[in-house]
Amino acid sequence: MSAADRLNVLKTYKLFVGGKFPRSESGRVYEVTAATSAPGSAGQGDWLANAPLSSRKDARDAVTAARKAFGGWSGATAYNRGQVLYRIAEMLEGRREQFAAEVAAAEGLSGARAAEQVDAAVDRWVWYAGWSDKVAQIAGSANPVAGPYFNLSTPEPTGVVAVLAPQESSFLGLVSVLAPVVVTGNTAVVATSEKAPLPALSLGEVLATSDLPSGVVNLLSGRTAEIAPTLAAHQDVNAIDLAGADGALAADLETAAAGNLKRVLRPQPVDWSADPGTDRLLAFLETKTVWHPMGV
């Protein structure tokens, strides 16, 4: 049978919540189209797929899954979390061509440039995996005190973190905001890039087969302005990263987040291809200080 005679089997993209792949409870979808014309890719405006249009209930379900997973993930050893992140990188490496094609269509990049973005994303998982058992060395300390005590400060995860993924960098930007959240023991609810959600939804398939416990990462596609207010106001979300929000939306979300004193990471211009540094690694950590009497 020739290629022309084959039935084109289109991929059905779904959400990734609690380790499963549900459709939106609303049953809604929206069209995702190619960003621009690149050699060997879809033309500008060409239909790529229908993505789930997440509802407020989907967002609440994702928060419930993330909270359920938090105890086990935050209680795992840092070494184990690093192993899991490295496994994600291994799985991505094996599906490099698929992700390069999706990124090329999503962002209007050439095949070579999209492959560079995917390679950088894989390397970023590895980079953060290496920090898993080292972050305490830069975020913790032994404090001098006036008295016969040991005084030790250690970092602990904040809890459930809502992440608004960057709108323009659909994959490398997503990994750059997601990996530092989970490697430090937090769980995440991610609102993917609104116009280019497909690479993020495919990442869910990788996470499901990479030893990551169910609920640690939850991926929602849809309208950022519809999903984000629910996450910002949710009483069981401890922090929010506004990377994918524009100025007006970010201001509204920051006001909503003040209702339960969420930690907020404000949006700022970022070159996602640059070395990430440790800022995001430390953004969603709390410091626990323990006093202990010295023995005689």
Side-chain angles (χ1 to χ4, degrees):
M1 180 183 294
S2 67
D5 295 329
R6 289 194 66 247
L7 176 68
N8 188 14
V9 181
L10 301 175
K11 181 175 180 179
T12 300
Y13 289 85
K14 297 181 182 180
L15 306 176
F16 182 59
V17 176
K20 299 179 180 179
F21 296 93
R23 292 178 170 86
S24 171
E25 63 83 27
S26 68
R28 301 177 303 167
V29 298
Y30 70 105
E31 289 188 0
V32 179
T33 57
T36 188
S37 181
S41 68
Q44 182 176 6
D46 284 357
W47 180 85
L48 297 176
N50 288 334
L53 189 58
S54 299
S55 66
R56 289 176 293 179
K57 186 177 186 304
D58 292 321
R60 293 194 297 268
D61 290 345
V63 173
T64 299
R67 176 57 62 191
K68 184 177 180 180
F70 176 70
W73 183 244
S74 61
T77 65
Y79 177 73
N80 177 248
R81 289 198 296 269
Q83 286 182 309
V84 172
L85 262 69
Y86 189 82
R87 178 60 176 164
I88 293 171
E90 289 180 336
M91 299 295 288
L92 279 174
E93 186 74 24
R95 298 175 64 167
R96 180 175 178 272
E97 291 185 5
Q98 174 201 342
F99 279 93
E102 289 189 341
V103 170
E107 301 179 24
L109 303 177
S110 67
R113 180 63 180 143
E116 290 177 3
Q117 294 281 299
V118 174
D119 289 345
V122 173
D123 293 346
R124 195 137 301 175
W125 281 112
V126 174
W127 191 83
Y128 278 113
W131 271 106
S132 62
D133 57 356
K134 302 172 184 65
V135 65
Q137 309 304 313
I138 64 170
S141 64
N143 310 311
V145 294
Y149 303 98
F150 292 113
N151 185 268
L152 305 174
S153 294
T154 58
E156 291 192 339
T158 296
V160 175
V161 179
V163 178
L164 307 186
Q167 297 297 333
E168 302 302 325
S169 183
S170 63
F171 192 59
L172 178 56
L174 167 72
V175 171
S176 298
V177 296
L178 175 59
V181 168
V182 296
V183 74
T184 48
N186 298 293
T187 55
V189 177
V190 181
T192 68
S193 167
E194 181 175 331
K195 66 179 182 180
L198 304 187
L201 296 178
S202 289
L203 177 63
E205 300 170 6
V206 170
L207 300 178
T209 55
S210 59
D211 302 330
L212 189 75
S214 299
V216 172
V217 174
N218 305 275
L219 301 169
L220 304 172
S221 60
R223 310 299 183 204
T224 303
E226 182 178 353
I227 302 170
T230 298
L231 298 175
H234 201 297
Q235 295 294 312
D236 208 21
V237 173
N238 303 105
I240 186 167
D241 185 344
L242 301 179
D246 60 26
L249 178 60
D252 291 342
L253 296 176
E254 192 167 353
T255 299
N260 69 341
L261 304 181
K262 282 183 179 60
R263 182 180 287 239
V264 176
L265 185 60
R266 296 179 176 89
Q268 53 191 322
V270 179
D271 178 4
W272 298 112
S273 62
D275 291 339
T278 59
D279 289 348
R280 289 185 179 274
L281 194 68
L282 304 176
F284 300 113
L285 288 174
E286 307 292 341
T287 300
K288 178 179 74 174
T289 299
V290 177
W291 294 69
H292 193 283
M294 293 181 180
V296 177

